[in-house]
Amino acid sequence: MKQETLQEVMCQVSPQTVVELCSKLVSIPSTSGREEKIAHFLSDHLKTLGYDIVTMDDMGNVVGRQMLNPGGKRLLFESQMDHVDVRDAIEWSFYPYGGVVNNGYLCGRGAVDAKGSLAAMIIAGSELKRHAKFLGLSGELAVACVVNQEVAEGVASSKVHELFEPDGVVIGEASNLNIKRGQRGRAELIIEVQGKSAHTSLPLSGVNAAEKMVFLLSYIRQHFLPPRHYLLGDGIMVLTDLTTSPSSGTSVLPDRCVATFDRRLLSGETEGQVLEEISRLISLARDIDPDINADVRISEDYVECFTGKRIRVKHFASGWFFEESEELVEKALRGLHLAGMEPSLSESGFGTNGCYYGGIKCIPTISFGPSAEKLAHTKDERLDVDQLIKATQGYMSIAASFLEG
């Protein structure tokens, strides 16, 4: 593909169209499980823009598909519809759902994470279809607008994958217009110690679960050796919560103590491996103190979609990573260079739905989008309009490079 050809197409994208769509999306509150209004808006908008097939599944994910010239690969653009809640609106400098442009920034909750990416992907998909023959594109491009990413990474993506099995995936997340080719995953580990209740005046007649947990936590801290990846970093494990039961009893030894850990996962680490490592440390601690009665598990709960569908969620999101030689990475870099950008390669600092595509399905995956990760979930969240426009051009160039042929 000639650079002049791609530049000619990108110049036809209306910046106002992208900004107006992003502003509209920001103006529709859509916390996790409450995305109904924005989902129906997007379904109608994708049809208005001329997407060939538009569907909404039983979770509420909206997928627009563009059939290009026959043959070729299948590329998926995916970004979330949901956002974290606004709990401190009075402290904001502007209305969190205004979607107003001020001093070159589009302001509002979700602008960075990740309605800017979503708007840019949708417009990019529309423009690519109009110019598919001119660009020499073949295959199929899908744009997935997914639910519940903030509370259940990868779960909605499994449903999208049932409909559309891609050869490559681009996740819309803040990357400062750089390419993220991997991320650490995350597991929420629960370690539970069982004791024996007794009156505190006769402690030797029982087993204090809290004391046993203190010893076990100390042992784990001393002997857990986190794995390391040259780019993703360490597979650290951090204590985040500690509770006892009974918690308010007077003169009663606690017979149960529960510790919650955040364990960051590297590419290739499985649920079985993670649990086995902690079980091994518990067993070694028990060799020192036979009264330790403990086990470890992955945290689970339920997430309800706005459609009414209730999903059981296991909090284990796989890590993923792709080498620079991976075709999607190479072609994404090539496309962005043709678009006049100079992206770097790095890893994502926070969780994305790439944990499903890259981590579980091993489908080549990258994340790319406007703005910086540090601005997500913050008070006065705002998105640089220039980066929003460049992200639209970036998605077009990535897809054009991958689907050329």
Side-chain angles (χ1 to χ4, degrees), residues 155-176:
V155 174
S157 300
S158 66
K159 197 70 177 179
V160 172
H161 186 262
E162 290 178 11
L163 173 72
F164 186 82
E165 297 185 14
D167 298 301
V169 179
V170 180
I171 301 293
E173 292 277 357
S175 73
N176 235 3

Side-chain angles (χ1 to χ4, degrees), residues 34-98:
R34 298 181 178 180
E35 304 97 338
E36 182 173 10
K37 186 175 180 181
I38 196 171
H40 286 292
F41 168 79
L42 285 168
S43 179
D44 291 341
H45 195 68
L46 288 169
K47 294 171 186 175
T48 300
L49 288 175
Y51 275 73
D52 294 320
I53 302 172
V54 179
T55 58
M56 183 186 297
D57 61 38
D58 61 357
M59 287 188 187
N61 302 308
V62 178
V63 180
R65 299 166 66 178
Q66 297 284 40
M67 310 300 179
L68 307 176
N69 297 316
K73 299 183 184 299
R74 294 154 65 91
L75 180 65
L76 174 64
F77 286 165
E78 182 176 295
S79 194
Q80 67 194 74
M81 293 186 284
D82 63 321
H83 57 77
V84 295
D85 203 358
V86 175
R87 295 183 175 87
D88 54 357
I90 196 170
E91 298 179 10
W92 286 51
S93 303
F94 46 79
Y95 177 53
Y97 300 112

Side-chain angles (χ1 to χ4, degrees), residues 38-272:
I38 196 171
H40 286 292
F41 168 79
L42 285 168
S43 179
D44 291 341
H45 195 68
L46 288 169
K47 294 171 186 175
T48 300
L49 288 175
Y51 275 73
D52 294 320
I53 302 172
V54 179
T55 58
M56 183 186 297
D57 61 38
D58 61 357
M59 287 188 187
N61 302 308
V62 178
V63 180
R65 299 166 66 178
Q66 297 284 40
M67 310 300 179
L68 307 176
N69 297 316
K73 299 183 184 299
R74 294 154 65 91
L75 180 65
L76 174 64
F77 286 165
E78 182 176 295
S79 194
Q80 67 194 74
M81 293 186 284
D82 63 321
H83 57 77
V84 295
D85 203 358
V86 175
R87 295 183 175 87
D88 54 357
I90 196 170
E91 298 179 10
W92 286 51
S93 303
F94 46 79
Y95 177 53
Y97 300 112
V100 175
V101 175
N102 183 37
N103 292 326
Y105 289 90
L106 197 156
C107 306
R109 172 59 84 219
V112 172
D113 190 22
K115 293 180 177 181
S117 293
L118 188 56
M121 285 177 161
I122 289 169
I123 299 302
S126 175
E127 292 296 319
L128 285 168
K129 178 59 183 281
R130 291 201 306 123
H131 301 287
K133 288 187 178 179
F134 180 68
L135 292 169
L137 306 184
S138 60
E140 185 177 351
L141 173 67
V143 178
C145 319
V146 298
V147 299
N148 279 322
Q149 189 275 337
E150 294 291 351
V151 295
E153 292 167 22
V155 174
S157 300
S158 66
K159 197 70 177 179
V160 172
H161 186 262
E162 290 178 11
L163 173 72
F164 186 82
E165 297 185 14
D167 298 301
V169 179
V170 180
I171 301 293
E173 292 277 357
S175 73
N176 235 3
L177 302 180
N178 295 308
I179 293 175
K180 309 281 190 176
R181 56 184 171 130
Q183 70 172 77
R184 288 187 298 181
R186 177 180 176 273
E188 188 171 273
L189 299 179
I190 305 294
I191 296 179
E192 182 171 338
V193 171
Q194 298 289 342
K196 180 182 176 183
S197 184
H199 197 284
T200 53
S201 65
L202 299 168
L204 296 181
S205 65
V207 177
N208 190 324
E211 288 185 352
K212 300 304 176 183
M213 178 66 85
V214 169
F215 174 78
L216 181 58
L217 294 181
S218 177
Y219 187 88
I220 290 174
R221 183 171 183 178
Q222 292 177 43
H223 295 89
F224 174 72
L225 296 175
R228 182 168 181 78
H229 186 277
Y230 75 94
L231 181 62
L232 299 181
D234 291 338
I236 58 176
M237 189 167 81
V238 179
L239 178 67
T240 59
D241 191 39
L242 191 61
T243 61
T244 60
S245 176
S247 58
S248 57
T250 302
S251 301
V252 179
L253 290 186
D255 61 3
R256 180 173 176 266
C257 189
V258 177
T260 304
F261 285 87
D262 184 310
R263 169 74 158 83
R264 295 292 156 162
L265 308 172
L266 303 185
S267 176
E269 286 194 278
T270 67
E271 181 179 333

Side-chain angles (χ1 to χ4, degrees), residues 328-366:
L328 176 62
V329 178
E330 286 186 340
K331 290 194 171 182
L333 280 170
R334 174 177 175 268
L336 292 173
H337 288 152
L338 289 174
M341 301 183 192
E342 294 295 332
S344 63
L345 291 175
S346 63
E347 78 290 346
S348 179
F350 49 50
T352 74
N353 282 346
C355 66
Y356 178 79
Y357 297 108
I360 296 176
K361 291 297 183 180
C362 298
I363 299 170
T365 301
I366 60 172

